Amino acid sequence: MRGKTKEIEKVIQTHSFSIDSIIRDVMKTFNFRSLCHKVGLKKEQGYPVADIITLLLVFPLMFLNSVNAFYKSGYKQVTKMQKDTIYRLKNHARMPWRNLLLHVSKQFQSLVNPDQDVDDKSAFIFDDTMDERVGRRIEEVSYVHDHVAGRKKSKATLGFKNLTMGLFDGKSFNPLDFSLHSEKKLYKKQRKEQYQKKRDPRSNGAKRKKECDVDKITNAIRMLKRAVKHGFKAKYVLVDSWFASKDFIRTCRGVKDGAMHVICAVRKDWRKYRYQGKDMHAKELLKTLKSEGKEKRCRKRNTRYYEVTVYYPGIDETVKLFFCRFPYQKEWRLYLSTDISLSFIETMDIYSVRWTIEVFFRETKQHLRLGKCQSQDFDAQIAHVTTTYILYAFLSYFRRINDYETLGGLFEEMKDDMVEKNMAQRLWEMFDELLDVIIAAISESGAVDIHAFKTSEEYQYIKTLFEDSFLGHQLFDDDNVA
């Protein structure tokens, strides 16, 4: 068995990349190697799994979209492991990626909230996002529709729907779990061209692949129960109208004997609410409230609204409904809270926390290359999303203890530092190529042997001069840590 290697750590220490404090130190704080071993991520021979995952975590910080891009870049010098080593890990069906993400998130909470206090605005948040892909051969890829844009304004594109569950602890959002979903299947002829792989039905990969065809509400409920089982706590569950079915609300209220309340947007559909002894749907209820003249105004949010407490037979519980008409909008929007003690402002303040998952999606796509994996293997797709979410957790922790205002601000500072170093690297390569041209010309004249010169003291002296220069310090100075 090969002993544990620390090639990446040594390179980071030697070259002083800004990721030194982001990855190496944070991973040490998280006891990442121990977490990998704890969840069963281990190999009997070859490189330790923690080392391979570390390399995968670094890819987005190097602006690389794939393993192949890494081995075509100048960064390939950071490790001696071959690309097949990484591919085998990503494509391994037995890797417990879900368990690893849950344990990283649990470690995050234990570090930032050791007393396990439950904030008044803490919430489990669910939402889905389009995970676009290129190529029909990707396993389980399908046509997905952007529901946010509306059916008339968007067309179906290839990819997955990524359903994500996260925890807002009062200060920051932390991803806990996810599942990839197919929507409109490809045509039969196209499906025959898709990548196919045999898996043990009991393997983690087979279970994740099976989730593709399970409806998102069912998977969301499973995620919630799994998170609570792992010890995560919150006061609320926040979802938009796509998830606010009566089954979802009723199930959430049943977890931990009603310990969590649900606040959600609700469609004005045909579901019935009982008000003053009469069952009526949302539009009928709104018309009744208007006739009773119970409209209120909120100066803080510049909003007109109706507030009413009703009995919801669908969940067998009394809830509070808010019909809201925001500035410059014609339609009345409906929000539901199972916590009837909340006022309108309190409900809106808590529901606005749901926006943190939208910010999370934007930042992971913009900065961390979420959705850029083009592997045909579905197991590799799961590995890609998991490592992206783990990296986000590490960056979020670093941001939190260093008082960065946004994760984007942190990444921009890292990016500036990396671009500076990349420029120095490219200049050295240009200088090295120029020397090759000069040496080749001299060699053709028979004045000196090219290979002998590149190993000579004179060549090493020139290189040393560069390393001691300003640009050289950008690459090799140990004190230049962002």
Side-chain angles (χ1 to χ4, degrees), residues 267-397:
R267 297 175 185 174
K268 298 195 297 294
D269 51 21
W270 297 101
R271 69 185 79 185
K272 299 289 185 176
Y273 308 96
R274 189 166 301 160
Y275 177 62
Q276 295 181 347
K278 296 182 179 179
D279 289 343
M280 55 186 79
H281 57 71
K283 291 183 179 180
E284 293 173 334
L285 181 58
L286 177 60
K287 185 177 180 180
T288 300
L289 295 174
K290 285 181 178 180
S291 66
E292 293 176 351
K294 294 185 176 181
E295 181 180 292
K296 299 180 181 180
R297 292 183 181 270
C298 176
R299 291 186 178 181
K300 180 180 179 181
R301 293 184 173 269
N302 190 23
T303 304
R304 298 162 56 194
Y305 69 96
Y306 292 95
E307 176 182 331
V308 60
T309 301
V310 299
Y311 177 75
Y312 187 7
I315 65 172
D316 193 24
E317 191 173 340
T318 300
V319 299
K320 186 173 282 190
L321 299 178
F322 299 95
F323 290 90
C324 310
R325 187 172 178 178
F326 298 102
Y328 311 109
Q329 292 187 358
K330 294 182 179 180
E331 294 292 327
W332 289 85
R333 295 190 177 184
L334 177 59
Y335 297 90
L336 179 150
S337 171
T338 60
D339 186 354
I340 61 176
S341 66
L342 296 178
S343 66
F344 171 74
I345 293 179
E346 290 171 334
T347 302
M348 291 297 103
D349 285 347
I350 295 171
Y351 186 74
S352 63
V353 168
R354 201 193 68 83
W355 183 250
T356 57
I357 197 171
E358 303 288 357
V359 176
F360 165 76
F361 286 142
R362 185 191 66 197
E363 291 184 328
T364 49
K365 290 180 179 180
Q366 181 178 350
H367 298 309
L368 304 185
R369 303 298 195 262
L370 178 66
K372 298 297 183 181
C373 178
Q374 292 302 322
S375 174
Q376 295 182 2
D377 196 314
F378 186 76
D379 292 315
Q381 299 289 341
I382 295 294
H384 165 73
V385 179
T386 304
T387 53
T388 301
Y389 284 11
I390 290 174
L391 177 58
Y392 183 92
F394 288 165
L395 294 175
S396 183
Y397 173 77

Side-chain angles (χ1 to χ4, degrees), residues 45-58:
Q45 58 183 1
Y47 291 90
V49 174
D51 284 3
I52 306 174
I53 296 178
T54 300
L55 190 58
L56 292 173
L57 292 174
V58 172

Side-chain angles (χ1 to χ4, degrees), residues 125-128 148 238-245 248 263-267 335 351 354 358:
I125 307 173
F126 293 89
D127 202 3
D128 62 351
V148 177
L238 307 179
V239 293
D240 62 14
S241 58
W242 288 99
F243 298 91
S245 69
F248 180 82
I263 298 179
C264 57
V266 184
R267 297 175 185 174
Y335 297 90
Y351 186 74
R354 201 193 68 83
E358 303 288 357

